[in-house]
Amino acid sequence: MLDWKAERGAGEPYPGYDVLAKWRSPSWNDKTREVVAARLKAADEPRFFTREEFETLIAVADRILPQPAPRPPIPVAALLDQKLQDGVMDGYRAASLPRDGEAWRRGLRALDAEARARHDHGFAKIVESDRDDLLRCCEAGELKSPAWDGMPSQTFFKHRLLRDLVLAYYCHPISWSEIGWGGPASPRGYVRLDFNDRDPWEAAEAKPGHEADALRVNRNVR
Amino acid sequence: MSDDPRHAPRARHGRAPDVFRPGGWVSMKEYADHETVDFVIVGTGAGGATLACKLAEYGFSVVALDAGPYFRPLEDFASDESEQTKLYWTDDRIVDGDNPLQLGSNNSGKAVGGSTVHFAMVSLRFRPEWFKARTKLGYGADWPIDWREMWAYYTEVEQALKISGPVNYPWGPPRPRYPYRAHPLNAAARALARGCEALGIGWTETPLATLSAPRGLAHPCVYRGFCVTGCSTNAKQSALVTWIPRALSAGAEIRDLAMVGRIETDANGLAAGVHYHRQSKWHFQKARNVVVAGYAIETPRLLLNSANDKFPDGLANSSGLVGKNLMAQANQAVWGEMDEEVRSYKGPPSLAITEHWNYEDEGKDFFGGYAYMSQGPLPQLWANTQATAHGLWGARLVEEMKRYNHVVGLKIVGEMLPQEHNRVTLADELDQYGLRIPRVTYSWCDNDKRLIDHSIAFMSRALGAIGTKNIWVQEDDTCHLNGTARMGDRPDSSVVNADCRSWDIPNLWICDGSVFPTVGGANPSLTIQAIACRTADRIRTLSRLGEIRLN
């Protein structure tokens, strides 16, 4: 079931480390287990977005946060869909942006329209380098299709698109393991706080020439 | 297990949540809406909770309302950044100006206890000269309060919160010993110390409102590092676990999920009570005195939304200053990477501090000061910083994030000057209660920019001096909001007097960071609480003199 973990290692800073191995440890309280369990069950089918918008979103997320094989991908688009469906918002917004959900719908439709105008295909159907070019134009505020309906593409990119996708990716335990973060920590916190100090329930970093040591230690992190 | 405090109020039927026991309750005095109470307080954060506690202990009848839920941290708080955004004020707001503010996380809270439930616990006294910034330092405005009076109130708050701090504080006039010992330094804090020593300036352990030894039912801090997303072990001395339990035992009532939409005034132009929304209905609580403690956005919003025929420009606004002189604090950072593992996610994020540039006036080309502190961002916050402030996305972002455990950073809390065009006004759009939403307008002035440039240059040297690599600057961030209902000596140039009492409506009071005429380069929570303690003492004195409406 977890074969990909055995393969992971080469080039990764925390080979074999899995924050979920601490699920039943004193580092995870009941409330944390409850909210992370709900997150791990994120539905594949969109509830907030239409199927078409959702496909565009997947294609965007894939370029903002490219995911390495062989590990299972973090369902970034599904996590964002769930958040918007649940009405979880930042609340504040630039005067030029509509509320979070409407900004997303309009932004995805506009990116799709821009792709069709340039490449005769929707955003999800164009090649990766063309997607990156379009996203860079979006970031620079150079996209002006009427589909934006007055919303500046630059503001949408920085304050909605980039922010929301990054938060979705780094709310998932797979990303926590990837960066070697300790993860949830309550009621058990930490004892060793100094430079190069790690508690036995923290990830061990692979040092050059000693990757196997880190792998062995990380398999026993609980 | 328990009910969801976000959907139904918990504080009713004569009881309130016991924040120290999962599923527990404590008894609570309750008032009917038609009973006229001495004080109704809007907001239960650093200002409102402190005042509610002190006034109840002085024997006044008090009802304190909060728009947010009443959490029991031990059972309601997850170790999770996403989940804990439930502590933030995320109602609809519009931001504009040259430097639109980011709201929601580090400058607001929607919960009983307000933003102290997720504050970074940094508990600093102001530099004495800041209370006379105009006269002594040549900028901003003078406070109508003397620093020596504040020094005693700071002591009261430090004792009430059992602040942990250093044996000797390196800056300012002598202060008493902190009640609890300082916390140990993590690697991020040691990096700050090394940098200060390399550049020849002082540093110290940060005075923090989190326990370094047991206190009652609360355990010492376990260094889990989730401070700014809410402490799930009750080590953090938030208003929720300090002033509010005291207020309840003294007979105050706390009403959760109660959003105040309008203050009503009577035929004499006095405040008569507040209209509030709770459990899908509007109610009216009668009161002899109304205290607004909603912080620098919601306070002016409520005063402006309460405009009526007698006060067409909003309440307490004859000066025209309600909503004006909003002051954020600069929150720029310098980040880099060390060869050593830092793992700054362990422990409170700001265990070490230097206030050197708050107290040193030589070598500055700007007014005001700044402190800077060590940092410990959790993954979502760090990834968002790398993306939106550093401009990374794609493979560069994912790869950079893998260096997370080597990241070290220094971040300022910097003084910004009061300017009338930085302000809170009402937009035409309505929120879920049918109330006009706030528009928050903010632009930095040249002095703000010079302070920021100075701090960035200095912190870059400090990181460079300790061998940090790949140093980069986070230029656009702010924290803490103050101003918008400033205190002063004259009715035409301030909204309230030194007692936080409205010049226009003598039974209307404002008790939160809105009353600050200037902000200094220090986190405001200790000062807000000290002012609340002073206000309570002044109210007691004035009531004995018969100068307060109590019948």
Side-chain angles (χ1 to χ4, degrees):
Chain A
M1 178 176 95
L2 298 172
D3 284 343
W4 60 274
K5 276 187 206 166
E7 293 173 46
R8 197 168 74 176
E12 287 298 313
Y14 304 95
Y17 173 61
D18 181 7
V19 82
L20 290 177
K22 292 192 266 187
W23 185 273
R24 302 211 171 279
S25 79
S27 289
W28 289 57
N29 64 10
D30 289 343
K31 189 68 188 179
T32 305
R33 283 189 278 263
E34 177 193 318
V35 302
V36 176
R39 192 171 304 154
L40 294 175
K41 283 188 288 194
D44 293 333
E45 287 299 309
R47 291 178 299 156
F48 179 82
F49 292 112
T50 64
R51 165 60 43 199
E52 204 172 22
E53 289 164 349
F54 194 62
E55 275 169 13
T56 306
L57 176 61
I58 290 171
V60 171
D62 191 47
R63 300 316 301 153
I64 298 295
L65 295 144
Q67 308 207 34
R71 70 153 169 78
I74 296 168
V76 174
L79 288 164
L80 176 60
D81 182 84
Q82 182 177 346
K83 177 174 165 180
L84 292 169
Q85 178 68 21
D86 292 344
V88 177
M89 299 201 294
D90 282 341
Y92 74 96
R93 59 194 159 91
S96 57
L97 292 187
R99 293 180 184 177
D100 300 21
E102 167 58 21
W104 263 111
R105 285 198 171 111
R106 198 189 299 176
L108 290 173
R109 283 198 303 266
L111 280 172
D112 208 45
E114 300 277 3
R116 285 179 204 283
R118 292 188 188 196
H119 306 290
D120 285 332
H121 292 290
F123 190 90
K125 296 282 193 301
I126 60 177
V127 297
E128 290 181 349
S129 57
D130 288 341
R131 287 190 220 162
D132 287 351
D133 284 343
L134 260 182
L135 288 169
R136 273 192 286 271
C137 291
C138 184
E139 181 179 28
E142 291 163 4
L143 301 184
K144 310 277 185 192
S145 151
W148 292 96
D149 195 16
M151 180 168 80
S153 71
Q154 190 173 23
T155 312
F156 169 71
F157 184 90
K158 183 172 176 181
H159 294 286
R160 273 281 66 80
L161 185 151
L162 190 54
R163 172 177 165 78
D164 287 348
L165 293 178
V166 162
L167 293 182
Y169 185 93
Y170 286 99
C171 81
H172 197 283
I174 288 176
S175 71
W176 302 342
S177 301
E178 184 170 80
I179 65 171
W181 179 49
S186 180
R188 180 174 65 182
Y190 301 102
V191 179
R192 295 161 185 83
L193 305 178
D194 211 340
F195 287 109
N196 299 319
D197 242 359
R198 66 171 271 284
D199 285 320
W201 54 94
E202 294 183 82
E205 187 180 77
K207 306 292 180 193
H210 301 275
E211 290 83 357
D213 295 343
L215 181 63
R216 190 180 63 250
V217 171
N218 283 333
R219 281 184 175 150
N220 290 300
V221 166
R222 291 288 181 273
Chain B
M1 238 185 43
S2 253
D3 47 338
D4 187 339
R6 286 175 286 175
H7 296 138
R10 276 177 170 171
R12 52 191 173 137
H13 309 314
R15 64 183 197 174
D18 181 350
V19 293
F20 297 107
R21 292 184 175 85
W25 300 96
V26 293
S27 64
M28 179 179 79
K29 185 170 174 121
E30 271 185 298
Y31 296 91
D33 284 340
H34 59 80
E35 279 183 84
T36 309
V37 295
D38 293 335
F39 287 88
V40 64
I41 299 177
V42 184
T44 63
T50 309
L51 190 64
C53 168
K54 298 284 293 182
L55 290 178
E57 289 180 347
Y58 290 160
F60 297 103
S61 55
V62 174
V63 173
L65 301 94
D66 203 287
Y70 204 142
F71 290 111
R72 291 187 194 94
L74 297 178
E75 66 181 1
D76 294 327
F77 290 179
S79 288
D80 189 79
E81 288 178 274
S82 289
E83 168 70 10
Q84 293 301 115
T85 61
K86 66 188 179 187
L87 300 181
Y88 303 153
W89 192 288
T90 55
D91 291 359
D92 209 17
R93 288 166 164 177
I94 292 173
V95 293
D96 63 6
D98 296 341
N99 306 94
L101 297 175
Q102 299 175 52
L103 302 176
S105 57
N106 66 354
N107 50 27
S108 74
K110 192 174 188 179
V112 173
S115 57
T116 69
V117 178
H118 61 81
F119 77 147
M121 312 171 300
V122 176
S123 299
L124 305 177
R125 297 182 178 210
F126 271 27
R127 175 180 167 183
E129 288 87 342
W130 291 343
F131 293 102
K132 292 286 176 281
R134 168 59 63 188
T135 307
K136 291 192 180 295
L137 301 168
Y139 68 90
D142 286 348
W143 292 53
I145 301 180
D146 189 275
W147 75 269
R148 282 158 291 216
E149 202 184 352
M150 289 298 290
W151 232 236
Y153 286 110
Y154 279 134
T155 302
E156 177 178 354
V157 179
E158 286 166 354
Q159 291 294 332
L161 305 186
K162 295 290 177 262
I163 301 293
S164 61
V167 175
N168 294 302
Y169 199 73
W171 304 280
R175 60 183 68 177
R177 280 281 296 273
Y178 285 101
Y180 278 26
R181 70 167 170 83
H183 291 277
L185 300 182
N186 62 7
R190 290 196 185 280
L192 178 141
R194 284 183 191 172
C196 288
E197 283 165 10
L199 298 186
I201 66 167
W203 64 274
T204 190
E205 297 110 329
T206 310
L208 292 175
T210 183
L211 299 175
S212 58
R215 180 188 194 190
L217 293 171
H219 301 268
C221 178
V222 296
Y223 309 119
R224 52 191 286 272
F226 285 80
C227 314
V228 298
T229 61
C231 179
S232 62
T233 66
N234 279 341
K236 171 183 287 188
Q237 298 296 284
S238 66
L240 178 63
V241 304
T242 56
W243 300 111
I244 286 170
R246 264 176 69 179
L248 289 171
S249 359
E253 178 187 346
I254 306 292
R255 247 171 246 172
D256 54 340
L257 298 185
M259 175 68 184
V260 175
R262 191 162 65 85
I263 300 164
E264 187 159 306
T265 59
D266 63 18
N268 301 318
L270 291 174
V274 298
H275 294 272
Y276 67 97
H277 190 270
R278 198 186 198 202
Q279 292 191 289
S280 317
K281 284 204 301 272
W282 285 96
H283 309 260
F284 181 68
Q285 175 66 55
K286 291 168 73 175
R288 296 180 189 94
N289 292 272
V290 172
V291 183
V292 186
Y295 208 24
I297 295 176
E298 291 304 312
T299 285
R301 180 190 179 206
L302 175 58
L303 295 171
L304 296 172
N305 263 329
S306 298
N308 56 32
D309 288 347
K310 194 169 176 66
F311 299 103
D313 299 324
L315 304 188
N317 199 19
S318 65
S319 64
L321 289 172
V322 168
K324 293 183 181 169
N325 294 305
L326 172 67
M327 293 166 286
Q329 284 176 311
N331 204 202
Q332 278 64 26
V334 177
W335 301 99
E337 208 178 279
M338 299 186 79
D339 289 335
E340 296 147 297
E341 293 175 28
V342 178
R343 299 183 190 255
S344 68
Y345 56 83
K346 297 188 280 190
S350 298
L351 283 163
I353 184 172
T354 176
E355 281 208 78
H356 177 81
W357 290 111
N358 272 336
Y359 286 83
E360 176 57 70
D361 294 323
E362 294 298 315
K364 286 176 177 170
D365 59 349
F366 57 90
F367 289 121
Y370 62 87
Y372 71 78
M373 287 164 248
S374 54
Q375 297 296 310
L378 295 186
Q380 279 187 317
L381 175 60
W382 181 238
N384 186 53
T385 303
Q386 284 285 10
T388 61
H390 203 188
L392 301 187
W393 54 274
R396 284 180 67 208
L397 172 63
V398 175
E399 286 309 305
E400 187 69 24
M401 283 300 292
K402 293 178 185 172
R403 301 297 296 162
Y404 173 65
N405 283 343
H406 291 262
V407 168
V408 66
L410 304 171
K411 201 167 204 197
I412 63 167
V413 169
E415 181 156 19
M416 289 182 139
L417 295 191
Q419 305 178 73
E420 287 199 8
H421 58 257
N422 285 338
R423 61 188 299 197
V424 176
T425 52
L426 299 177
D428 291 330
E429 292 164 74
L430 304 180
D431 70 3
Q432 70 268 38
Y433 309 103
L435 303 168
R436 289 175 70 185
I437 67 170
R439 174 186 292 269
V440 182
T441 306
Y442 209 82
S443 305
W444 302 349
C445 66
D446 288 342
N447 191 79
D448 299 339
K449 293 173 189 166
R450 285 197 298 273
L451 179 147
I452 288 166
D453 288 346
H454 185 280
S455 71
I456 287 171
F458 192 84
M459 293 190 295
S460 300
R461 281 175 56 206
L463 280 192
I466 60 168
T468 311
K469 297 170 182 165
N470 303 326
I471 294 173
W472 65 278
V473 175
Q474 179 183 1
E475 289 173 345
D476 180 12
D477 206 0
T478 58
C479 57
H480 313 128
L481 306 173
N482 295 281
T484 71
R486 62 157 55 157
M487 59 163 62
D489 284 319
R490 286 174 26 191
D492 62 346
S493 58
S494 57
V495 176
V496 295
N497 67 16
D499 300 338
C500 293
R501 187 177 202 172
S502 156
W503 292 108
D504 301 345
I505 302 176
N507 69 338
L508 178 65
W509 311 72
I510 298 169
C511 189
D512 59 26
S514 316
V515 302
F516 286 25
T518 55
V519 289
N523 308 49
S525 63
L526 197 76
T527 302
I528 295 172
Q529 292 169 89
I531 286 172
C533 288
R534 182 186 181 279
T535 301
D537 283 358
R538 287 293 298 151
I539 285 172
R540 181 173 60 167
T541 302
L542 291 168
S543 76
R544 287 171 175 164
L545 296 170
E547 292 177 17
I548 289 200
R549 186 187 187 194
L550 289 172
N551 51 46

